[in-house]
Amino acid sequence: MAIILGVDPGSRITGYGIIRAQGRHIEYIDSGCIRVGEKPMAQRLQSIFQSLATLIGEYRPEEFAIEQVFMARNPDSALKLGQARGAAIVSAANSGLEVHEYSARQVKQAVVGKGGADKSQVQHMVQALLALSRKPQADAADALAIALCHAHMSQSVLRVASAGGKVRSGRVRQQS
């Protein structure tokens, strides 16, 4: 049984989602947002780092998944997002967690079934897949979707490996 911490990084709001996955059974544990507000950037990054370190200490995840950086229209926004990702990744790495990265398209494909899904579709599917009584806040839903994507991808790799295949460069090859 693996506890997975998914993170949707942001320079003002960083979403997190924690699930437990065993085979095809997935259980919701916790989710929320780290809100850092209008502090200077260095203090925001420190808050992201420390908040994630606290969550890692409390829930003891075995796996960590984060959204890859995407090219924003505003270069300044992309740089700030990259810095927030860096703070999150270092927090995970300091705790000995391997970092798994997924594109927004991969996450949406895994959770909604189409890579171009919008935020409300992701929220709806996260609520349905985890049997939540209400829709999670958008950033928390995105983080849960990242954790779900990782759980699905991990299961796919295990199925291929148990069938005698090897995964290389994103392709599956049968063993001789």
Side-chain angles (χ1 to χ4, degrees):
M1 201 178 292
I3 295 176
I4 302 168
L5 169 59
V7 174
D8 179 39
S11 63
R12 295 184 193 284
I13 301 173
T14 292
Y16 68 88
I18 305 167
I19 61 173
R20 180 177 289 117
Q22 181 173 15
R24 292 179 189 251
H25 178 74
I26 297 177
E27 174 189 350
Y28 171 85
I29 296 177
D30 192 16
S31 64
C33 295
I34 301 165
R35 298 178 188 281
V36 295
E38 300 295 324
K39 301 176 193 173
M41 193 60 178
Q43 289 177 356
R44 289 190 229 168
L45 298 174
Q46 181 182 37
S47 292
I48 292 166
F49 176 89
Q50 289 177 335
S51 296
L52 287 174
T54 298
L55 287 168
I56 291 167
E58 182 178 345
Y59 291 102
R60 304 274 182 222
E62 290 94 8
E63 301 183 33
F64 178 89
I66 192 167
E67 189 173 76
Q68 289 176 341
V69 113
F70 61 92
M71 202 50 203
R73 289 184 185 157
N74 180 342
D76 188 52
S77 296
L79 287 171
K80 288 178 182 174
L81 175 60
Q83 291 173 330
R85 282 184 80 252
I89 289 169
V90 170
S91 189
N94 273 356
S95 298
L97 293 172
E98 185 177 337
V99 175
H100 302 275
E101 299 179 75
Y102 299 97
S103 70
R105 190 166 209 61
Q106 284 176 300
V107 172
K108 292 173 182 178
Q109 181 71 40
V111 175
V112 179
K114 59 181 184 175
D118 64 29
K119 281 199 176 280
S120 66
Q121 290 171 306
V122 171
Q123 282 177 293
H124 174 76
M125 286 306 296
V126 165
Q127 180 185 10
L129 291 168
L130 296 173
L132 302 176
S133 60
R134 60 185 170 86
K135 285 184 183 176
Q137 194 273 336
D139 296 295
D142 288 347
L144 286 166
I146 293 162
L148 286 165
C149 175
H150 179 66
H152 293 309
M153 296 298 272
S154 296
Q155 278 303 304
S156 295
V157 169
L158 287 175
R159 280 194 298 274
V160 168
S162 68
K166 288 186 177 180
V167 177
R168 287 193 190 145
S169 307
R171 292 181 292 209
V172 177
R173 298 183 182 156
Q174 279 302 113
Q175 282 184 311
S176 306

